[in-house]
Amino acid sequence: MPDNIFSTYYLPEDFENMKILTDEKLFELLDADFAWRRKELSFIVSSLYLAPPKNIDTYLRVGVTMLYAHWQGYISNSGNWYINYLKQKKLNYEDMTDNFITLALKQRLKSCGNTSKTIIHYEVVNILRNESLNAVDLPHKNGIETTSNLNYDILEDVLFTLGLNNSRYELKKHMINFTLLESRNKIVHGERYCIGKEEFFILHQDVLEMLEYFRDQIIDAVRNKSYLRNNRH
């Protein structure tokens, strides 16, 4: 494998601080980030086929932790890049769907819950009543918080935040929570735990399919302008 997989797939070095101004730039990032992850995971699968029997459990344990790392990493990166893209469009509160307005006001709403001061509560009311034509201030660097355990419930909240349908992921709820997350947690917390070889191959395929579907959902949302209130189907 190349020393720098990012450069192989043309991801910019400072991609966390860039501004995503066009559809094409967003799509390029989504594709490049998916491509290097798929290549690395394919390398692990190929290594498993070639591994001597005495080393298979070690490869499987490494494989599970890497699958989870790419699962969390891609969901986080892609979601935040989509928000970054929307932020650069400078859309106003009146035009955007409720999920993105909620995201923009999230920190203020948290502040409201931590105080009884009316002036803090007024800030939210003032935005909704008097600033509806102002640009929505989306938190594009940490708008998507996957935490260290991206289980189905957290994924469901991510999907809601981005305005994406969750029905296909719901079918994989047990796989996400147990085969992937619980297995990874047991391994990284020092247990001598390992899933079966065939189970890993199925898990690998499921994770890649979900990540690819997540990418496609974002691309479709951009093309259909699903983030606009009047365009929501």
Side-chain angles (χ1 to χ4, degrees), residues 108-109 111-127:
R108 286 188 172 91
L109 291 170
S111 298
C112 288
N114 295 327
T115 183
S116 61
K117 291 183 178 180
T118 303
I119 192 169
I120 301 299
H121 298 170
Y122 167 77
E123 290 179 6
V124 176
V125 175
N126 182 58
I127 290 173

Side-chain angles (χ1 to χ4, degrees), residues 1-14:
M1 296 179 68
D3 293 334
N4 188 342
I5 303 176
F6 278 114
S7 64
T8 304
Y9 292 101
Y10 310 109
L11 276 174
E13 292 183 3
D14 194 27

Side-chain angles (χ1 to χ4, degrees), residues 71 75 152 155-156 159 164-176 209-217:
W71 162 248
I75 296 294
Y152 175 76
L155 175 66
E156 187 177 39
L159 294 166
L164 306 177
N165 186 275
N166 73 317
S167 57
R168 183 176 295 192
Y169 306 94
E170 190 171 14
L171 298 174
K172 300 292 185 181
K173 182 175 181 178
H174 186 274
M175 181 276 291
I176 293 169
E209 287 179 357
M210 286 193 297
L211 294 182
E212 188 170 19
Y213 181 63
F214 186 73
R215 179 200 64 187
D216 292 345
Q217 282 185 292

Side-chain angles (χ1 to χ4, degrees), residues 124-182:
V124 176
V125 175
N126 182 58
I127 290 173
L128 296 175
R129 185 184 292 274
N130 301 317
E131 299 184 17
S132 63
L133 297 180
N134 289 359
V136 177
D137 186 17
L138 293 169
H140 68 281
K141 288 188 179 182
N142 58 356
I144 297 303
E145 300 177 11
T146 56
T147 75
S148 59
N149 288 285
L150 181 51
N151 59 30
Y152 175 76
D153 289 342
I154 294 173
L155 175 66
E156 187 177 39
D157 191 64
V158 168
L159 294 166
F160 178 83
T161 299
L162 299 175
L164 306 177
N165 186 275
N166 73 317
S167 57
R168 183 176 295 192
Y169 306 94
E170 190 171 14
L171 298 174
K172 300 292 185 181
K173 182 175 181 178
H174 186 274
M175 181 276 291
I176 293 169
N177 287 346
F178 295 99
T179 314
L180 178 61
L181 180 57
E182 186 176 276

